[in-house]
Amino acid sequence: MSTVHHVGWVVRSIDGARPHFEKDLGLAFRSDELFRDVRTAFFGAGPAMVELLEPLTEDSDLARFLRRHGEGIHHLALRVDDVAAALAGASQCGLRAVDAVPHTGSRGTLVGLADPQQEAGILIQYVEER
């Protein structure tokens, strides 16, 4: 059984978006991290947590998403006990596993992505707390 972990939200600039999420929405800043092609920042707590994603390179998947769709919701992250099992069972839920194996995510988590394979769907990220 899975529960909501967070909502992933692509922005052009975390620094530019931060006041909206902190002051306007009242979501407290939790942490930020740098990866090879993305900067992330978490706001809020529990299922009200939002992960801002700022692409750092023009050729990344997130940069392409931002050019096509603009700023906004990128993925819904679900907390699971076993990311590898969730990815293996994704097809039974009408999803196509994007990641063949789990990989390290923000805040020391283990993550994997699944594509909804439908126009009205949203990218799913499975998250396993370690």
Side-chain angles (χ1 to χ4, degrees):
M1 177 174 208
S2 57
T3 60
V4 173
H5 185 271
H6 70 269
V7 173
W9 196 292
V10 177
V11 295
R12 286 180 181 78
S13 164
I14 288 173
D15 295 332
R18 187 172 176 166
H20 173 65
F21 286 87
E22 284 184 308
K23 294 178 183 150
D24 300 340
L25 301 180
L27 299 174
F29 173 77
R30 297 286 178 218
S31 65
D32 67 342
E33 289 183 63
L34 284 175
F35 293 90
R36 181 177 49 82
D37 60 356
V38 65
R39 177 181 171 205
T40 67
F42 277 85
F43 295 82
M49 204 161 37
V50 175
E51 177 190 30
L52 297 187
L53 303 152
E54 176 185 334
L56 298 177
T57 62
E58 289 298 317
D59 61 341
S60 69
D61 289 340
L62 286 173
R64 284 188 288 280
F65 178 92
L66 187 58
R67 284 192 298 274
R68 281 194 301 262
H69 305 286
E71 294 182 315
I73 295 175
H74 176 262
H75 66 268
L76 175 64
L78 302 175
R79 182 187 319 265
V80 296
D81 293 330
D82 185 341
V83 172
L87 289 170
S91 64
Q92 296 169 2
C93 302
L95 304 169
R96 179 187 59 82
V98 173
D99 295 314
V101 296
H103 57 89
T104 301
S106 296
R107 302 167 48 152
T109 58
L110 195 60
V111 300
L113 292 172
D115 188 329
Q117 299 292 283
Q118 55 184 304
E119 191 173 324
I122 185 170
L123 190 65
I124 299 295
Q125 181 182 59
Y126 297 116
V127 179
E128 180 181 331
E129 297 281 346
R130 297 194 281 179

